[in-house]
Amino acid sequence: MASVLFFFLLFYPLLSFLAKDPQRHSRRLARCRRIIAFLSSTSVGIFYRFRYETPIDWSKPCVICANHTSNLDITAMVLLCPSDFSFMGKIELLDNPVTGMFFRTIDIPLDRQRKISAFKAFKRADEQLKKGRSMVIFPEGQIGNEYPPHLCDFKSGPFKLAIETNVDIIPVVIHNAWKICWDDAKQLGSRPGIVHIDVLPPISTTNLLLKDAEQLLGEVHALIKNHWNGTGGL
C-alpha cells in the first residue's frame, strides 16, 4: 500500500493535469496507471505471470471477468489488458485517494444499493463497449470474508452487458494473490512472490439473448471455479 501511494504521489502532478480532460487523455491516464502498477509491485518484489490457453485479440472490446480475493487483482488486470479498458467497481472506491482518481475519470463507479445508479453505470459501460473500450468487472462484486477464500456467487450484470453489446467474455483465474496479499493486507500483511494468472479462451455471446445470461453466468463460474480449485489456489 505504501509503495502504491509513493508512486501515485510521484505521478500526481501529471495525473491531476490529465484528469482535467479525461476524455481527451483517457489513454494517457491508463498508461500512467499501468506504469504505477508495474513500479509499485516490482519495487516490493511482487510479480505477475500470465498463462494464456489461447491467443487473445485485444483489439476487440470484451468483458473481462476474474475472481477477486486481493487488492493485487486490480494490478493484475491493469497489467493484463494492453488495450483501452475501464473497471466497473463499487462506489466506495471513489473515497480512496488512488482509485478515486481513476473512478472519477476513466472507470465506472457503481452503487448497487441504488437502482438508478446501477442503471446509469451499466448504461455508461454499454456505451464504452460500443466505442471499442473493454470492461473489467469482478463478478463476485466483493472480496469474501472467509479465509482461505472461496469463489462467491456471481452477479448477473456483467453477463447481461456482454450479451447486450455482443462482445466476448474473457474468464480470468487469479490463483494465489490471496496468499501474497489477502484483501487489503490489513489483517495478515503481505509478502513478495509471483501471482499466477490463467487467461481462459474467450466465450462468444453471439446469438445469445438476455434470457441466456444466467446460463452464461453458470458456465463462467464453473470454469473459474474448476481451474482455481484444480490448482489448490497455488
Side-chain angles (χ1 to χ4, degrees), residues 113-164:
Q113 305 303 317
R114 299 175 56 213
K115 291 184 178 180
I116 294 179
S117 171
F119 173 79
K120 289 182 178 179
F122 277 98
K123 179 68 174 177
R124 184 178 166 194
D126 180 282
E127 293 169 353
Q128 293 298 322
L129 283 164
K130 289 176 179 176
K131 290 178 181 178
R133 190 179 185 90
S134 294
M135 295 297 305
V136 174
I137 305 175
F138 297 110
E140 294 168 274
Q142 62 177 338
I143 295 177
N145 296 321
E146 294 185 9
Y147 186 90
H150 68 277
L151 191 64
C152 299
D153 293 338
F154 284 179
K155 311 293 184 184
S156 62
F159 307 97
K160 292 179 179 178
L161 178 65
I163 291 172
E164 287 181 334

Side-chain angles (χ1 to χ4, degrees), residues 106-117:
I106 58 176
D107 294 331
I108 302 176
L110 167 66
D111 184 355
R112 289 192 175 88
Q113 305 303 317
R114 299 175 56 213
K115 291 184 178 180
I116 294 179
S117 171

Side-chain angles (χ1 to χ4, degrees), residues 91-210:
I91 197 169
E92 288 81 2
L93 291 169
L94 285 170
D95 299 327
N96 182 288
V98 177
T99 58
M101 168 69 75
F102 299 105
F103 270 88
R104 284 189 292 270
T105 53
I106 58 176
D107 294 331
I108 302 176
L110 167 66
D111 184 355
R112 289 192 175 88
Q113 305 303 317
R114 299 175 56 213
K115 291 184 178 180
I116 294 179
S117 171
F119 173 79
K120 289 182 178 179
F122 277 98
K123 179 68 174 177
R124 184 178 166 194
D126 180 282
E127 293 169 353
Q128 293 298 322
L129 283 164
K130 289 176 179 176
K131 290 178 181 178
R133 190 179 185 90
S134 294
M135 295 297 305
V136 174
I137 305 175
F138 297 110
E140 294 168 274
Q142 62 177 338
I143 295 177
N145 296 321
E146 294 185 9
Y147 186 90
H150 68 277
L151 191 64
C152 299
D153 293 338
F154 284 179
K155 311 293 184 184
S156 62
F159 307 97
K160 292 179 179 178
L161 178 65
I163 291 172
E164 287 181 334
T165 53
N166 193 29
V167 301
D168 291 349
I169 292 273
I170 298 182
V172 176
V173 185
I174 305 172
H175 288 285
N176 63 323
W178 63 276
K179 292 187 176 181
I180 296 172
C181 169
W182 178 53
D183 198 356
D184 57 9
K186 289 181 180 178
Q187 295 185 52
L188 300 176
S190 62
R191 62 177 179 82
I194 299 174
V195 180
H196 295 271
I197 300 112
D198 281 350
V199 183
L200 307 186
I203 299 174
S204 174
T205 61
T206 302
N207 299 324
L208 294 184
L209 304 174
L210 278 179

